[in-house]
Amino acid sequence: MDLLGKSAIVTGAGGGGCGRAIAMRLAAEGAAVAVADVNEASGRETVRRIAAAGGRAEFFKADVRHEAEVRALVAAAETTFGGLDVLVNDASLAIFPETSLDDWFANVAVDLIGAMYAIRHGVEAMRRRGGGAIVNIGSVSALCHGGRESQAPGYDTAKAGVMRLTTAFGPQAAREGIRINCLVPGWIGSPPVKAYWESLTPEQRQAREVPSVLLGVEEIAEAVVTLIADERLAGRVLVWWNGQPPALIPIGDPGYVRLEPL
């Protein structure tokens, strides 16, 4: 897909993390971008930066936990830009560590249920458009099955659900010309993560299983554009461990290396 002249929604596009970088990259590629976030000031700052770089964007306040707000977001983007071609589900509450079941459910509500609402209404809009591309954002923290205690089981559950949603619904959507893929990154150098990473010595990083290098938000934006643009990819999961090149999970992969007898 060539992004020139296309329209896109990026959820969670305020702040200094991946959402803003993705929105700015899509605009630089020629797309009109609906910047969606719960934080109006941060979202409008993203729009300002896009406009300053010569791109086109509008801010729409939306809390993806509420289906009515997601429905309104998609409708507003269609009205403003004449349709919807691209959806990036980047909105994430990312409570870490989770200290209560309320945190558990809050992470699931945003990262999984919010993405499902966006896909539901985004797909309907893309049907009217004749096709489109959706990118979900997972996390490598959701890839491991046991053996390591999770500090955010709700978050990891949500991200695992997003990945499975991609592979389960992807083939069905592809029959209608809508490609759904998922990017599963490792540690990303967003401001809070970078601050924590920089506070540690190399020895502390190794002891705490913190990677020696971080992924940049611009690198994440580049990977998202690749998943949008590559017409061969539908229902695929692109995993990007820190310090390694991104790679696709093979089709039909069972999700484990081996099974142990009881």
Side-chain angles (χ1 to χ4, degrees):
M1 176 189 289
D2 184 351
L3 285 166
L4 183 62
K6 298 297 194 294
S7 61
I9 292 174
V10 181
T11 66
C18 294
R20 174 174 288 168
I22 293 166
M24 293 182 67
R25 178 59 189 274
L26 296 184
E29 294 286 332
V33 182
V35 172
D37 206 281
V38 293
N39 188 314
E40 184 168 351
S42 294
R44 292 195 181 280
E45 173 61 16
T46 300
V47 170
R48 186 196 68 77
R49 294 189 186 196
I50 289 173
R56 183 185 179 194
E58 296 288 342
F59 172 72
F60 300 96
K61 187 173 183 178
D63 186 336
V64 298
R65 291 174 293 186
H66 305 298
E67 185 175 8
E69 294 190 29
V70 176
R71 184 189 300 113
L73 165 64
V74 173
E78 281 192 284
T79 299
T80 302
F81 301 132
L84 179 64
D85 302 291
V86 174
L87 166 66
V88 181
N89 282 312
D90 182 71
S92 177
L93 197 57
I95 298 174
F96 185 91
E98 295 169 359
T99 59
S100 69
L101 287 178
D102 287 341
D103 291 345
W104 198 99
F105 279 99
N107 273 334
V108 170
V110 173
D111 289 72
L112 177 56
I113 304 302
M116 293 176 70
Y117 287 150
I119 290 171
R120 176 180 184 176
H121 296 286
V123 163
E124 291 176 358
M126 290 176 185
R127 284 173 177 156
R128 292 187 283 272
R129 193 72 154 173
I134 297 172
V135 178
N136 299 320
I137 306 297
S139 172
V140 297
S141 66
L143 291 175
C144 300
H145 299 292
R148 179 183 301 172
E149 183 177 356
S150 172
Q151 297 300 305
Y155 176 82
D156 289 346
T157 298
K159 291 306 188 184
V162 164
M163 287 183 272
R164 188 67 185 103
L165 176 64
T166 300
T167 58
F169 185 52
Q172 177 182 336
R175 289 194 291 270
E176 300 186 67
I178 300 168
R179 295 182 301 104
I180 302 178
N181 294 291
C182 186
L183 174 63
V184 181
W187 288 55
I188 301 168
S190 60
V193 173
K194 189 174 182 180
Y196 171 70
W197 185 86
E198 290 178 340
S199 72
L200 303 176
T201 65
E203 293 75 21
Q204 288 173 323
R205 292 171 195 154
Q206 184 175 12
R208 300 180 191 185
E209 298 184 320
V210 175
S212 59
V213 295
L214 300 177
L215 298 172
V217 294
E218 291 81 11
E219 291 180 297
I220 297 300
E222 173 70 22
V224 168
V225 168
T226 297
L227 292 174
I228 292 169
D230 194 331
E231 301 284 352
R232 301 170 300 170
L233 301 178
R236 302 301 300 274
V237 177
L238 182 66
V239 179
W240 197 349
W241 290 97
N242 297 82
Q244 300 180 22
L248 294 165
I249 293 179
I251 294 173
D253 181 86
Y256 48 81
V257 176
R258 61 185 175 85
L259 293 175
E260 297 178 353
L262 287 171

